[in-house]
Amino acid sequence: METRVTHGSAGIQAAGALLRAGEVVAFPTETVYGLGADATRGDAIRKIYATKGRPSHNPLIVHVTGIDQAQAVNGLLPKNARRVAEALWPGPLTLVIPRGGHICPEVAAGGPTVALRAPAHPVAQQLLAAANVPVAAPSANISGHTSPTTAQHVWDELHGKIPLILDGGPCAVGLESTVAEVGEDRIRILRPGAVTLEHILDILGNFKGSINPAQMPAASGQPLASPGLLDRHYAPDSSTFLFDPAQWDAVRAYLREQGPGFTATLISYSADIRLPAPHRTFMLPNDDAGYARGLYDALRTLDAMRPNAIFVLLPVNERGLWPAATDRLRRAGRYFHRKEMP
Ligand code: TXA
Ligand code: MG
């Protein structure tokens, strides 16, 4: 299949027409690029799963223009979810609510709930308006890989497999949306993102909140509340090792032992932590928004160099987008333990 890359209003109209015809198209959102299809059509949704190689038990996020479309396609929003949506949509927040109305079961992997989000990216909004259907869209990558934050990333991963990539420039946030379940008196963050638990608690007041209780090991045999929490996810092909600043000496000692012929790459945000040649260092900004925006491009860029290993200096800050970045890194790689290194 030939893949077209388009932009602008002609591109948006072409993508909207393909969506209405039951095809899949890649499009920009403020978080990451999505691979969209009509959420009311099982045949279209099955193309998403097939294109990504996504396990059929992992449900998809449905994108809508806002609360009105959400209610038109899925029924009234529960009261508390509606309060949160009124304050934070459009934006990088996905709400898990009971499924109803016109959303097809394949989107929800057959489950009783559906994940809804109104993206803030103007191109995504215009595409949703042009398509005039709710659009289910996971990140536009092969299942388990790093999410794309540019049209080029989508091309590298999916060209030849989809008819169209709508280019809306690099994603401003760079990490996937927060996934939250809002109940009667409690909130569960199933996937951390740019919208934090504190943001939601500010709106709802006296609620109980918890983050990521599904951080239990997958081996426990319990079903995951959100399969995006599966242990290997967001991952480059190269072996990826995460380390704390305190382990820097141990990392350097390990690299010295490997001798010539072993090339490592490093993602750092600290001027004091960088590797000497022939190794390569990708320096990200030491602020949460800049780090999040650049992280997936850094992982892809270093992965393309086919190094023997990618090392990542773990963020230590707990504010803003840092926990979301750490969460994705934890699934993209494993912790550096000198004794366990290959
Ligand atoms: O930022 C984003 O959310 C991007 C853009 C394209 O909007 N989309 C995205 O989709 O990251 P995906 O499929 O890569 O991740 C969706 C996450 C997964 O962790 C999935 O398990 C969870 O949302 N999810 C979807 N439906 C759910 C449901 N009904 N209950 C719980 N978790 C759900
Ligand atoms: Mg994904």
Side-chain angles (χ1 to χ4, degrees):
M1 181 187 300
E2 196 187 329
T3 303
R4 276 193 298 151
V5 182
T6 60
H7 65 273
S9 51
I12 290 168
Q13 294 309 319
L18 283 166
L19 288 172
R20 275 199 310 281
E23 293 302 325
V24 296
V25 300
F27 66 98
T29 81
E30 74 277 33
T31 57
V32 300
Y33 274 71
L35 184 63
D38 182 346
T40 65
R41 285 178 61 165
D43 61 332
I45 297 308
R46 282 191 290 275
K47 290 180 189 168
I48 293 181
Y49 283 97
T51 304
K52 282 185 59 108
R54 183 175 178 109
S56 59
H57 63 257
N58 192 357
L60 309 177
I61 294 173
V62 177
H63 297 69
V64 291
T65 48
I67 292 172
D68 288 348
Q69 193 189 18
Q71 301 199 131
V73 299
N74 194 62
L76 286 185
L77 288 178
K79 182 172 87 260
N80 294 323
R82 190 188 161 107
R83 281 168 67 198
V84 175
E86 275 166 357
L88 296 172
W89 278 5
L93 171 68
T94 296
L95 294 168
V96 175
I97 60 171
R99 179 166 61 91
H102 306 294
I103 304 299
C104 69
E106 286 85 349
V107 164
T113 59
V114 64
L116 293 179
R117 161 164 126 81
H121 196 300
V123 173
Q125 281 284 336
Q126 288 160 35
L127 174 63
L128 288 167
N132 199 26
V133 291
V135 174
S139 49
N141 52 274
I142 299 295
S143 184
H145 279 186
T146 312
S147 298
T149 54
T150 66
Q152 181 69 49
H153 292 166
V154 180
W155 172 269
D156 292 344
E157 197 131 332
L158 295 179
H159 75 89
K161 296 195 164 96
I162 57 176
L164 186 140
I165 300 170
L166 184 56
D167 187 350
C171 301
V173 176
L175 295 177
E176 303 80 356
S177 63
T178 305
V179 179
E181 214 175 52
V182 179
E184 285 293 312
D185 61 354
R186 64 170 58 241
I187 305 152
R188 216 150 65 107
I189 302 287
L190 301 177
R191 181 175 71 180
V195 171
T196 63
L197 179 59
E198 290 69 34
H199 287 133
I200 303 177
L201 287 173
D202 277 350
I203 295 153
L204 291 176
N206 198 16
F207 264 53
K208 292 193 235 8
S210 56
I211 298 178
N212 239 1
Q215 262 180 359
M216 63 208 179
S220 72
Q222 300 267 25
L224 289 176
S226 193
L229 305 169
L230 287 173
D231 256 9
R232 193 190 138 86
H233 220 86
Y234 315 109
D237 292 329
S238 312
S239 302
T240 302
F241 300 101
L242 318 173
F243 67 99
D244 291 321
Q247 290 175 291
W248 178 225
D249 284 340
V251 168
R252 279 189 298 184
Y254 171 77
L255 291 177
R256 277 195 302 273
E257 278 164 22
Q258 303 314 302
F262 187 97
T263 327
T265 56
L266 167 68
I267 298 176
S268 178
Y269 54 84
S270 160
D272 299 332
I273 296 187
R274 49 170 81 231
L275 290 172
H279 308 303
R280 303 286 288 272
T281 302
F282 196 116
M283 197 58 76
L284 285 174
N286 191 8
D287 71 88
D288 64 327
Y291 186 91
R293 196 177 301 127
L295 179 59
Y296 287 159
D297 184 57
L299 283 168
R300 282 176 180 268
T301 301
L302 296 189
D303 202 20
M305 295 174 180
R306 295 281 166 259
N308 295 94
I310 300 175
F311 284 86
V312 184
L313 174 64
L314 277 171
V316 288
N317 195 307
E318 290 297 316
R319 298 174 65 83
L321 270 153
W322 288 117
T326 307
D327 169 79
R328 304 308 188 274
L329 285 169
R330 209 179 61 75
R331 297 168 213 290
R334 50 200 162 107
Y335 285 96
F336 171 78
H337 292 297
R338 181 116 186 253
K339 292 201 190 77
E340 292 166 19
M341 290 300 282

